[in-house]
Amino acid sequence: MTNQVATNSFLAKLGIESINPGTSTGKDNFMDSNAEVKNIHSPVDGSLIGSIAYTTAEEYEKVVTKAEEAYQIWRKIPAPKRGEIVRQYGNLLREYKDALGRLVSFEMGKSLQEGLGEVQEMIDICDFAVGLSRQLHGLTMHSERPNHRMYEQWHPVGVVGIISAFNFPVAVWSWNSMLAAICGDVCIWKPSEKTPLSAVACQKLMARIIEENNLPEGLFCLINGDYKVGEWMSHDERIPLVSATGSVRMGKAVGSALAQRFGKALLELGGNNAIILTPNANLDLAMVGVLFGAVGTAGQRCTTTRRLIIHESIYEQVKEKLVKAYGQLTIGNPLESNLVGPLIDKAAVNAYLNAIEQLKKEGGKVLCGAEVLSGPGYESGCYVKPTICEAQNSYKIVQSETFAPILYLLKYSALEEAIALQNGVKQGLSSAIFTNHMQEAEEFLSAWGSDCGIANVNIGTSGAEIGGAFGGEKETGGGRESGSDAWKAYMRRQTNTLNFGKELPLAQGIKFDL
């Protein structure tokens, strides 16, 4: 069975036809006759997968209304019972893991292993959320007043808006929605307009759980469209929290709109991630981390390794190893065991080419790659060769994030210089150092070391685990998703003081003669 046929079979099994409703509240689908319809083509072979109807303003109002109604019911259901719903969804994902993983790979272009891995992340966050549903704890504090008890508790915020990016078309939604659900929130999801069919598939699976458990319509909602739909959500006072994953430009727009109305923003934006290689590094280990970090998902991860900071004593050796390794990469259909698949579309290809030209203008040198592939197997025009360049950290193109497999090699002489280079960009998502020297590792992890939200030793910049909070600093947005105490972002804190005495002591000894 071909990838196209397998994908269409999965879509048909879920009731997704050639023209798919772009708006859903879980049970009902809305289809406005005036809706704009967009065709979705696979970057793998350029074929038409299906079509999606964009959400209209009228549909959007129906969705938000349904979500508000569902929240009134959902927030009163005990958290462990909410966790049971998430558990059921995780089990359904296990059943459809292969089919959904293939759809993700075919629609987005990542390797099948990565597509399946993304669905596994969804399953893992469901498991995490189920356990968390019994651990939404607050603190108890000693009051300075006699016969008083003081404590804090956490309540759901309400309707949560989720804006996700094309590179992880389903996992990031689950990071947010599964945690938000056990917290008592309801969710409205706007997926990337480049990968909406994977989102529709996830919504269809969730619709089964909603129906089987007789849950309220509007608990999990889906809206499709371009940036305009994101603007509606960002400016909508009925949505107290918006979690947005994407570019820095998008994050600034969302964050600004939310700030104007005192809404909460959870932002996971761009990365310009670096790996430091010291003379004490195990280079065999490091090459694995560098290679996957730089070319995994064809360089379309926010945690992609974009800069490699190499000690001058091993620079030539590392450069030779990397160029040789890049020459052995297999590029092609990601569902056929190739290591590198296509970029998402031709706009991404143009960004790749422009970045290489800009590098040359600034004085950089291309060591390998820098080519768009054509011919049999590359008909979509979205396949490029992963590229290695020699550069300076000060180059304008190095300071920005290009969502493509371009790796910049930088040279350093002292660790303090390497850390300064690592921190010398506006983004602050992921970072790594390869060293077997304890002092070098500890300095990198210290308060004066990496300024990123993620700092690794002897592993690469990509490959975050569900148990840890994911996110970064500076222009990466400061948000945290997934594990640890990231659940608190989806709740509001309330401090409670309970007087069980027969007197009401006032501050500064004030008394009223009543």
Side-chain angles (χ1 to χ4, degrees):
M1 184 179 290
T2 66
N3 297 320
Q4 176 73 68
V5 173
T7 300
N8 287 343
S9 175
F10 174 54
L11 292 172
K13 189 183 296 184
L14 293 174
I16 304 173
E17 301 171 358
S18 58
I19 299 296
N20 300 309
T23 307
S24 170
T25 57
K27 293 180 180 178
D28 291 339
N29 297 315
F30 300 125
M31 183 76 174
D32 192 318
S33 60
N34 297 318
E36 177 185 353
V37 175
K38 180 180 180 181
N39 292 331
I40 307 300
H41 294 85
S42 169
V44 174
D45 58 10
S47 63
L48 176 66
I49 309 176
S51 304
I52 201 76
Y54 278 4
T55 300
T56 64
E58 292 76 14
E59 291 172 340
Y60 175 81
E61 286 300 318
K62 292 179 183 178
V63 167
V64 177
T65 298
K66 289 292 186 181
E68 287 186 305
E69 292 172 355
Y71 173 61
Q72 302 304 317
I73 299 171
W74 185 244
R75 64 179 177 177
K76 295 179 181 179
I77 296 174
K81 297 295 184 182
R82 300 193 292 252
E84 167 60 17
I85 301 306
V86 173
R87 186 193 67 81
Q88 292 178 29
Y89 188 64
N91 285 343
L92 195 58
L93 289 173
R94 285 176 169 88
E95 180 181 344
Y96 284 95
K97 177 181 175 179
D98 183 74
L100 182 56
R102 288 180 180 276
L103 174 59
V104 167
S105 296
F106 194 54
E107 185 177 29
M108 185 267 155
K110 61 175 59 178
S111 71
L112 178 57
Q113 291 84 352
E114 291 182 87
L116 295 173
E118 183 167 349
V119 181
Q120 185 61 50
E121 283 190 37
M122 300 177 72
I123 295 169
D124 291 344
I125 197 64
C126 286
D127 289 349
F128 181 89
V130 171
L132 187 63
S133 67
R134 297 179 182 272
Q135 301 179 65
L136 303 176
H137 51 74
L139 298 174
T140 297
M141 292 79 73
H142 287 279
S143 173
E144 65 184 33
R145 292 168 286 190
N147 298 323
H148 281 62
R149 182 165 68 88
M150 186 165 61
Y151 64 97
E152 65 181 24
Q153 57 182 337
W154 295 82
H155 297 302
V157 295
V159 181
V160 173
I162 301 170
I163 301 173
S164 62
F166 75 86
N167 59 330
F168 282 86
V170 295
V172 171
W173 165 74
S174 67
W175 289 2
N176 285 274
S177 61
M178 296 304 109
L179 294 191
I182 61 102
C183 289
D185 300 316
V186 301
C187 299
I188 300 176
W189 180 18
K190 182 219 166 295
S192 169
E193 59 268 33
K194 298 180 180 182
T195 53
L197 296 180
S198 296
V200 172
C202 291
Q203 181 74 0
K204 287 285 187 176
L205 292 176
M206 180 58 76
R208 293 188 184 182
I209 303 298
I210 291 174
E211 184 173 0
E212 289 171 2
N213 290 273
N214 196 30
L215 292 170
E217 181 186 349
L219 180 55
F220 290 90
C221 301
L222 176 69
I223 54 177
N224 271 296
D226 56 18
Y227 71 94
K228 295 176 184 177
V229 179
E231 287 183 347
W232 296 343
M233 296 171 67
S234 301
H235 288 88
D236 195 334
E237 293 185 354
R238 295 168 295 180
I239 303 177
L241 167 65
V242 174
S243 175
T245 302
S247 68
V248 172
R249 182 178 65 178
M250 179 276 290
K252 287 182 177 180
V254 171
S256 177
L258 286 162
Q260 288 293 319
R261 62 178 178 87
F262 297 104
K264 295 174 65 177
L266 199 169
L267 302 176
E268 200 284 283
L269 310 175
N272 196 345
N273 317 294
I275 293 177
I276 297 173
L277 298 184
T278 81
N280 299 299
N282 179 330
L283 292 185
D284 291 335
L285 194 71
M287 288 303 102
V288 175
V290 171
L291 194 62
F292 180 71
V295 307
T297 323
Q300 298 172 113
R301 287 174 176 248
C302 50
T303 54
T304 290
T305 304
R306 310 206 180 276
R307 298 174 296 141
L308 185 60
I309 305 170
I310 313 165
H311 190 269
E312 58 188 7
S313 66
I314 57 173
Y315 184 85
E316 293 300 326
Q317 180 185 2
V318 169
K319 181 170 71 173
E320 182 180 346
K321 281 179 174 287
L322 274 176
V323 172
K324 182 179 179 180
Y326 270 51
Q328 299 172 353
L329 293 172
T330 56
I331 307 169
N333 188 323
L335 288 94
E336 297 179 356
S337 301
N338 289 298
L339 295 173
V340 181
L343 295 180
I344 185 65
D345 54 25
K346 290 184 179 179
V349 173
N350 290 333
Y352 162 88
L353 294 173
N354 292 337
I356 293 169
E357 287 305 307
Q358 180 64 32
L359 172 95
K360 293 176 180 178
K361 290 179 182 179
E362 294 191 67
K365 179 182 178 182
V366 175
L367 299 178
C368 67
E371 181 183 346
V372 180
L373 299 174
S374 59
Y378 305 122
E379 289 85 358
S380 69
C382 296
Y383 292 87
V384 303
K385 283 190 175 182
T387 302
I388 303 174
C389 306
E390 291 184 298
Q392 298 293 323
N393 207 53
S394 58
Y395 290 175
K396 184 177 179 181
I397 191 61
V398 177
Q399 287 287 312
S400 61
E401 179 188 40
T402 302
F403 231 50
I406 302 175
L407 179 65
Y408 303 113
L409 305 188
L410 312 173
K411 189 185 297 184
Y412 80 94
S413 57
L415 183 59
E416 292 81 1
E417 177 191 359
I419 292 175
L421 289 171
Q422 140 66 38
N423 295 343
V425 292
K426 293 182 179 180
Q427 308 85 356
L429 179 53
S430 187
S431 59
I433 188 171
F434 278 85
T435 178
N436 287 334
H437 197 290
M438 183 187 70
Q439 288 178 317
E440 290 179 334
E442 290 293 346
E443 184 168 354
F444 178 74
L445 298 174
S446 70
W448 53 93
S450 169
D451 64 0
C452 293
I454 299 170
N456 298 328
V457 176
N458 292 332
I459 64 171
T461 57
S462 60
E465 292 187 33
I466 288 299
F470 181 88
E473 303 300 323
K474 300 189 291 188
E475 284 196 352
T476 302
R480 293 296 185 275
E481 298 170 328
S482 188
S484 186
D485 65 348
W487 60 271
K488 293 181 178 179
Y490 309 95
M491 305 194 84
R492 58 183 176 86
R493 188 197 309 251
Q494 184 181 80
T495 300
N496 306 115
T497 304
L498 188 153
N499 179 3
F500 59 90
K502 296 181 179 180
E503 296 181 352
L504 180 59
L506 301 177
Q508 289 81 46
I510 296 175
K511 294 184 179 181
F512 291 99
D513 186 14
L514 298 177

